[in-house]
Amino acid sequence: MTEVSQARRSGQIDLHLHSTASDGTLAPRAIVELAASMGLQTISITDHDSIGGVAEAQEAGRALGIEIVPGVELSADSSAGDCHILGYYVRIDDQDFTTWLEARRSARIERGKEIVKRVNAELRRRGSVSVPQLWWDDVAKRANIDEGGAVGRPHVADALVAIGAVASRDDAFATLLGNGMAGDVHYDKVSPNDVIDTIRRAGGVAVLAHPTYFPEFERQLPALIEAGLEGLECVYGDYSPHLMERLCKVATSHGLAITGGSDFHGPGLKAGSGGVGVPAVSADLLEPLRARRTMNPHYPRHQSG
Ligand code: AMP
Ligand code: ZN
Ligand code: FE
Ligand code: FE
């Protein structure tokens, strides 16, 4: 561990973390333990299309004195390109929401099978003598789909590493799974508006994740805000200080809440490579986010906290 990641981070938070409920390599409990050992005040587990890690994280959080904001990261498709939208303070007991997420995970399973088919065809095309074979069952097991895990390209990547077809997750994305490559398969489309609406109906606050990954995001912002978007992830694991500063200005000028997180997927992985709690995100950002929740008409007024 680096010096900076060992420093106590009181007054700091990390609102973008992936666990084994999607494509992270650490269990929710292990992430909470790591965050607590670093002195983080609050974290959010934001798995792709899954809230399966939230309850375990909350239980660990209660034991370790660290606040867990229920979270999720949903993928959306639009004519402009793909975007990821984070949902904070979503109600994990909301039946409509859990049903919606289940349908998204089913779509991911169908897509996963298609990815395996196409990647095998691509491996055969490239191979000369012996060609390794990728198996869907292995991918499914890695994604824990029987326990509600959301399968994604990173699980295919891990299976490709296991059969010796590639050297690492990153290598798999660079050669077979990255955008426009054989394994870049889309699943049935959900629009950003539908995703934002779904988050709001679950009592949550919708935030555009890693905004610059969405092509021409500034041009898209007014429509997203009209649809109910309330925040912009301005502080992010892969962003330079200069970019983060620029995004904060964009958020402020549109009246959006500012959020931040690492996008940690596990030790040694490229996404969120700075680790849990990197870059530093101030706990001061939480209050404006919480305030948005209480303004949501779907926020349960009979509950506290
Ligand atoms: P999926 O949800 O199946 O489309 O997979 C998207 C996830 O794959 C992202 O959230 C990242 O965790 C990971 N990912 C995307 N691009 C790369 C890349 N170039 N290298 C490593 N991981 C990546
Ligand atoms: Zn991911
Ligand atoms: Fe993302
Ligand atoms: Fe993420």
Side-chain angles (χ1 to χ4, degrees), residues 18-25 46-53 72-75 100-112 115 136 139-156 158 169 187 265:
H18 292 272
S19 80
T20 45
S22 67
D23 55 3
T25 59
T46 52
D47 279 304
H48 300 281
D49 295 334
S50 173
I51 47 174
V72 70
E73 181 175 19
L74 305 177
S75 308
W100 189 92
L101 289 172
E102 249 170 62
R104 296 306 289 159
R105 290 197 297 274
S106 295
R108 277 181 172 271
I109 289 172
E110 293 317 307
R111 169 205 190 222
I115 295 176
W136 164 249
V139 175
K141 206 164 74 199
R142 290 172 188 279
N144 268 321
I145 63 168
D146 291 344
E147 288 159 46
V151 64
R153 283 178 286 168
H155 302 108
V156 179
D158 291 347
R169 259 193 195 191
Y187 48 122
H265 279 72

Side-chain angles (χ1 to χ4, degrees), residues 163-282:
I163 62 170
V166 297
S168 64
R169 259 193 195 191
D170 292 339
D171 188 25
F173 272 91
T175 59
L176 286 160
L177 303 176
N179 294 347
M181 297 179 189
D184 178 25
V185 178
H186 286 232
Y187 48 122
D188 60 320
K189 291 185 188 298
V190 178
S191 70
N193 286 18
D194 283 351
V195 163
I196 291 167
D197 194 50
T198 299
I199 290 168
R200 286 183 57 77
R201 283 175 186 281
V205 180
V207 173
L208 182 62
H210 39 67
T212 60
Y213 296 181
F214 189 25
E216 298 189 347
F217 86 93
E218 280 187 75
R219 218 157 61 88
Q220 321 296 335
L221 269 186
L224 295 177
I225 293 166
E226 176 70 24
L229 188 83
E230 298 187 84
L232 206 60
E233 186 179 51
C234 303
V235 186
Y236 181 65
D238 288 337
Y239 284 170
S240 69
H242 175 78
L243 177 54
M244 294 194 272
E245 205 175 302
R246 186 172 81 75
L247 288 171
C248 286
K249 283 186 188 144
V250 173
T252 305
S253 73
H254 284 87
L256 293 167
I258 293 168
T259 74
S262 62
D263 207 2
F264 174 79
H265 279 72
L269 294 174
K270 196 168 145 202
S273 52
V276 174
V278 180
V281 181
S282 166

